[in-house]
Amino acid sequence: KFALGIMLLAAGFAVLSLGASLAGDQGRTSLVWLLLGYALITGGELSLSPVGLSMVTRLAPARLVGTMMGIWFLSMAFAEYIAGLIAKLTSAPETSVSIHTLSPIATIDLYGYVFTQIAVIAGAAGCALLIISPWLQRLIRRNVDNR
């Protein structure tokens, strides 16, 4: 399920990238692309978060469960920081013109490029997790059985 969540994330960003590539002459695209992209990304988060929380409580030693849950949520804070760095990649280039006067056509290619990169990286991570999941499941079973 964890790999599926990351693959849904990749699919969501791929849809956003596709929507950006299909933008019209004014740099505008259909709202359907945004809704579908966010639906896929939200579905991915809904598959990933419960599994992660469950694995933390299941695999952590009993005396460290609270600490490990704290580390899980701290990792979310680091992810938000990284999201801010990625958001900087989508900012318009600094010019003498105010950013509020830029037309959508001036930034649509930048958004499409960044969304494509996120989709590729997330897709590769999801595939890697899918490939190693049988090995991870054996390790988890061995860890749980040895308690």
Side-chain angles (χ1 to χ4, degrees):
K1 286 184 182 178
F2 209 88
L4 173 68
I6 293 177
M7 301 280 263
L8 284 172
L9 172 77
F13 276 102
V15 164
L16 292 175
S17 175
L18 179 62
S21 70
L22 296 175
D25 292 339
Q26 295 180 342
R28 295 182 183 177
T29 189
S30 173
L31 184 62
V32 171
W33 297 111
L34 186 64
L35 293 175
L36 182 58
Y38 274 118
L40 288 167
I41 291 168
T42 301
E45 197 277 331
L46 289 173
S47 337
L48 190 137
S49 185
V51 173
L53 290 170
S54 173
M55 286 294 110
V56 168
T57 57
R58 184 175 171 196
L59 296 175
R63 68 185 196 292
L64 294 177
V65 169
T67 302
M68 296 307 291
M69 290 296 282
I71 291 172
W72 172 263
F73 287 111
L74 184 62
S75 71
M76 299 296 172
F78 286 126
E80 293 298 326
Y81 174 74
I82 292 169
L85 295 177
I86 292 170
K88 283 184 183 179
L89 295 175
T90 62
S91 63
E94 291 193 25
T95 62
S96 60
V97 180
S98 170
I99 192 151
H100 299 292
T101 61
L102 286 176
S103 67
I105 197 70
T107 57
I108 195 74
D109 290 334
L110 180 61
Y111 289 137
Y113 174 76
V114 172
F115 293 156
T116 301
Q117 296 304 310
I118 294 170
V120 168
I121 292 168
C127 287
L129 279 173
L130 199 58
I131 290 168
I132 66 169
S133 69
W135 177 71
L136 290 174
Q137 288 176 350
R138 280 194 302 270
L139 284 176
I140 290 168
R141 270 190 240 113
R142 188 177 318 148
N143 186 24
V144 171
D145 292 343
N146 288 337
R147 285 189 175 187

